[in-house]
Amino acid sequence: MAVDSGYFTPGQVSFFLGVIPLIFSWIYAEWLEYKKSSLPSKVSHSDLVELEHEAIKEDERAALMEGGLTKSASTKFPASSITTNLYRFITMDDSFLLENRRILRALAEFGAILFYFYICDRMNIISDSSKNYSRDLFLFLYILLIIVSAMTSLKKHQDKSAFSGKSILYLNRHQTEEWKGWMQVLFLMYHYFAATEIYNAIRVFIAAYVWMTGFGNFSYYYIRKDFSVARFAQMMWRLNFFVAFCCILLNNSYMLYYICPMHTLFTLMVYGALGIGHSYNETRSVMLLKILMCFLLVFFIWEVPGVFEIVWGPFAFLLGYRDPAKPDLPLLHEWQFRSGLDRYIWIIGMMYAYFHPNVEKLMEKLEESETRRRRIIKTSIITVASTVGYLWYEYVYKLDKVSYNKLHPYTSWIPITVYICLRNVSQQLRSVSLTLFAWLGKITLETYISQFHIWLRSNIPNGQPKWLLCFLPDYPMLNFMLTTAIYILLSCRLFELTNTLKSAFIPTRDNLKLVQNFGAGIAIFACLYSISYIIVLIRS
């Protein structure tokens, strides 16, 4: 099996040095469990699936949208120190392996899936094919998915508003998950079929994701007032755990997966905006001043010439990206372009979250008003929103790619607001959602990252995925069906495994344990990387 890059990096070697022992340890732990269960014993061990379900249920309890994490209950480890646990793992202590069998299984499965990524995108044993766009096929597949989803997964929700206790459901979690889901499907199909004619729509979708980052995280911090270290660690784990291992194993830059650094940055900015002086967040003038300061900060960094390079230059090792197809572009060009497009929309999301209770009260009064008045107001809302949307479409959306990008940072809030108005214009619309799209909306991060390597293909480090992964060269639609099924299945598993491992390694009420776990992770990686570096040097 030939590797396209022709060599292994220390990071790749360290990955294999870490994962292979975990896989063998898990297999041995399963054998111990089988041997133990074959004996007449009443002792039983919880299954990994139960742990995963607990982690996912905890996630569903959080009232936030994109980038938000939950205060999930951490897995209970024995009271032994980390050093003792490492020693017991290295010596293959039977009781330790049995106690942590489900965690070993999660780690082994996570490593095996990433190795599958490596096989699909870095080895020559699987072929690739060219992208081919047909508007007819594109629309057929998407409309068919909508019809199937409407016929099988349309659900009415009875949730109550957290503010008023009534069934207003304005921008409820089911609705935002559905919103993320149908946008993600179009986003992925845009990449798979190279549907360049909807480029401007994709820019709006990405802006909507960033809007949800501002909206969801603001809602969480403003309501729960939880600025703990554990919460911060959960948030960073959710956004960066999976992508970090993809960067290590596939030798890619962090910026190749630009959605991750973008959401990380804007999540941190929301965290900082609300966390600094958080005891004054209930004071309206202070909160409005914070929002204004966010606008001024963004304006200063992105609009004033030369400031962007000064601020982000020291982070070029992390945010720099060199596209093999465009090697002459500045190292920070991609980061400046991507982050600049959506530099303001997260603040708009914060504003909408802050005024969310006020809008709910107005909507409550509207629903309780007499029928004629209610119909006139709703008709006016639909008319104004539709007119604004049409004007935006005619004079902004229809522009060419370059011209549109210049206006996008200042106009992306318009289609987002129009959609919110139309989607929430009546109680009947607010209370229903397509749960198939909502389910897809929960795994957007995993489907976004995974598409690069097990649905599409780039073949080289930092390469854009310009080809399709091809198992059945002469059957493009059957190949699409097969690769999509595997891709969605593995994305779902990665979502579950990320939450499982988050629960295992990030305690929610023990900051000392959290710091120890973080330090142990850094130390283990440093040891593996040092050994790998020596191995690579010897080999070369």
Side-chain angles (χ1 to χ4, degrees):
M1 295 183 291
V3 183
D4 286 347
S5 58
Y7 64 93
F8 288 100
T9 66
Q12 292 168 334
V13 175
S14 63
F15 174 85
F16 291 117
L17 287 180
V19 166
I20 292 173
L22 286 171
I23 293 176
F24 281 108
S25 299
W26 167 63
I27 294 172
Y28 181 58
E30 293 291 347
W31 181 77
L32 291 174
E33 175 67 15
Y34 171 77
K35 189 169 69 170
K36 187 172 184 178
S37 62
S38 64
L39 299 175
S41 171
K42 295 183 179 180
V43 179
S44 63
H45 295 271
S46 60
D47 190 77
L48 173 66
V49 178
E50 295 177 6
L51 178 61
E52 291 170 348
H53 288 173
E54 289 174 9
I56 294 170
K57 286 179 182 177
E58 289 288 342
D59 273 344
E60 292 175 347
R61 292 190 190 111
L64 52 138
M65 322 304 164
E66 181 67 24
L69 282 252
T70 62
K71 299 173 73 172
S72 55
S74 59
T75 307
K76 294 183 179 179
F77 284 99
S80 308
S81 68
I82 292 178
T83 306
T84 303
N85 286 334
L86 286 174
Y87 176 77
R88 295 175 68 193
F89 171 75
I90 294 171
T91 57
M92 299 290 283
D93 181 82
D94 289 2
S95 60
F96 177 81
L97 296 179
L98 284 170
E99 290 165 3
N100 297 283
R101 179 173 56 90
R102 61 189 181 275
I103 306 303
L104 290 172
R105 175 183 164 184
L107 290 167
E109 187 177 354
F110 184 79
I113 292 174
L114 284 177
F115 182 59
Y116 175 72
F117 279 39
Y118 187 85
I119 292 174
C120 289
D121 199 30
R122 290 294 186 269
M123 292 186 173
N124 291 326
I125 59 176
I126 299 175
S127 63
D128 49 49
S129 59
S130 301
K131 297 180 181 181
N132 183 34
Y133 177 62
S134 164
R135 182 187 296 175
D136 180 50
L137 177 62
F138 185 92
L139 293 174
F140 168 77
L141 291 173
Y142 190 67
I143 294 172
L144 178 63
L145 181 61
I146 293 175
I147 293 172
V148 171
S149 180
M151 293 176 64
T152 60
S153 69
L154 183 65
K155 183 178 180 180
K156 185 173 183 178
H157 306 282
Q158 304 296 331
D159 300 20
K160 304 293 183 182
S161 167
F163 299 99
S164 65
K166 299 184 179 181
S167 299
I168 300 299
L169 297 172
Y170 166 60
L171 280 174
N172 60 81
R173 184 170 178 81
H174 306 291
Q175 184 186 128
T176 53
E177 295 288 9
E178 175 203 74
W179 186 4
K180 287 193 293 184
W182 68 255
M183 288 193 304
Q184 184 73 352
V185 171
L186 279 174
F187 181 63
L188 296 172
M189 290 177 65
Y190 161 79
H191 282 160
Y192 192 90
F193 293 104
T196 54
E197 68 175 353
I198 64 167
Y199 172 87
N200 292 352
I202 298 304
R203 296 272 67 81
V204 175
F205 296 164
I206 295 174
Y209 291 133
V210 177
W211 180 93
M212 289 185 210
T213 295
F215 181 85
N217 282 288
F218 184 98
S219 299
Y220 181 91
Y221 293 121
Y222 189 73
I223 295 171
R224 301 198 178 190
K225 302 175 176 63
D226 178 13
F227 300 94
S228 63
V229 176
R231 164 67 191 178
F232 180 82
Q234 289 176 338
M235 178 174 58
M236 291 297 102
W237 181 286
R238 176 73 183 103
L239 289 172
N240 293 294
F241 174 75
F242 175 32
V243 71
F245 279 92
C246 286
C247 291
I248 292 170
L249 179 60
L250 297 160
N251 194 25
N252 285 329
S253 297
Y254 185 38
M255 265 308 298
L256 178 68
Y257 315 93
Y258 66 89
I259 292 292
C260 297
M262 274 179 54
H263 283 284
T264 299
L265 169 66
F266 297 133
T267 298
L268 288 174
M269 295 182 84
V270 176
Y271 181 85
L274 273 74
I276 298 173
H278 59 85
S279 58
Y280 297 98
N281 284 346
E282 298 296 330
T283 306
R284 171 154 294 196
S285 58
V286 173
M287 185 52 64
L288 293 177
L289 179 61
K290 286 187 174 187
I291 292 174
L292 176 61
M293 292 301 293
C294 288
F295 274 113
L296 293 176
L297 178 64
V298 170
F299 179 86
F300 181 68
I301 295 176
W302 274 270
E303 306 280 4
V304 178
V307 176
F308 184 91
E309 290 76 12
I310 295 173
V311 172
W312 298 113
F315 302 96
F317 71 96
L318 181 64
L319 300 172
Y321 172 71
R322 191 77 71 188
D323 187 345
K326 304 173 183 177
D328 297 329
L329 291 176
L331 197 59
L332 288 174
H333 172 270
E334 187 76 0
W335 174 236
Q336 185 170 17
F337 173 69
R338 298 294 182 181
S339 62
L341 283 172
D342 300 308
R343 56 186 179 270
Y344 291 114
I345 196 64
W346 63 276
I347 311 175
I348 305 296
M350 287 176 57
M351 293 172 58
Y352 282 35
Y354 182 63
F355 291 105
H356 184 279
N358 304 81
V359 176
E360 272 206 341
K361 289 178 182 178
L362 291 174
M363 294 176 73
E364 182 181 334
K365 289 181 180 180
L366 177 61
E367 294 298 335
E368 293 174 351
S369 63
E370 53 104 2
T371 305
R372 184 172 180 275
R373 183 168 184 269
R374 186 169 65 246
R375 287 178 177 173
I376 291 174
I377 293 175
K378 288 186 176 182
T379 301
S380 301
I381 292 173
I382 294 173
T383 302
V384 172
S386 300
T387 302
V388 171
Y390 173 77
L391 293 174
W392 170 84
Y393 175 79
E394 282 291 326
Y395 296 103
V396 179
Y397 181 82
K398 283 187 173 181
L399 294 173
D400 64 273
K401 174 179 175 179
V402 176
S403 301
Y404 175 81
N405 282 342
K406 293 178 181 178
L407 296 178
H408 176 81
Y410 315 103
T411 60
S412 61
W413 63 274
I414 297 175
I416 292 172
T417 305
V418 168
Y419 175 80
I420 292 172
C421 290
L422 297 178
R423 183 67 175 82
N424 292 275
V425 73
S426 73
Q427 182 65 35
Q428 290 75 19
L429 276 175
R430 292 192 296 270
S431 62
V432 297
S433 71
L434 300 176
T435 56
L436 174 59
F437 283 121
W439 175 74
L440 290 170
K442 292 178 181 179
I443 58 173
T444 51
L445 183 66
E446 287 72 25
T447 52
Y448 167 73
I449 297 172
S450 299
Q451 66 166 323
F452 285 80
H453 311 296
I454 60 172
W455 202 44
L456 310 174
R457 197 174 184 199
S458 61
N459 295 330
I460 57 174
N462 285 332
Q464 294 295 324
K466 297 180 179 180
W467 294 274
L468 307 177
L469 186 68
C470 185
F471 289 117
L472 305 171
D474 298 324
Y475 302 92
M477 296 310 298
L478 288 178
N479 183 73
F480 172 71
M481 180 183 69
L482 176 61
T483 55
T484 302
I486 297 172
Y487 161 60
I488 296 297
L489 172 64
L490 293 184
S491 296
C492 183
R493 285 301 299 151
L494 286 164
F495 170 76
E496 294 166 352
L497 292 170
T498 300
N499 282 286
T500 298
L501 295 173
K502 180 194 72 181
S503 298
F505 294 113
I506 302 183
T508 58
R509 293 181 178 86
D510 189 347
N511 289 343
L512 178 60
K513 183 71 171 177
L514 176 60
V515 173
Q516 290 175 343
N517 287 348
F518 179 75
I522 295 295
I524 291 171
F525 176 75
C527 290
L528 290 174
Y529 191 87
S530 299
I531 296 171
S532 303
Y533 185 77
I534 295 172
I535 292 174
V536 171
L537 280 180
I538 293 173
R539 182 174 179 269
S540 62

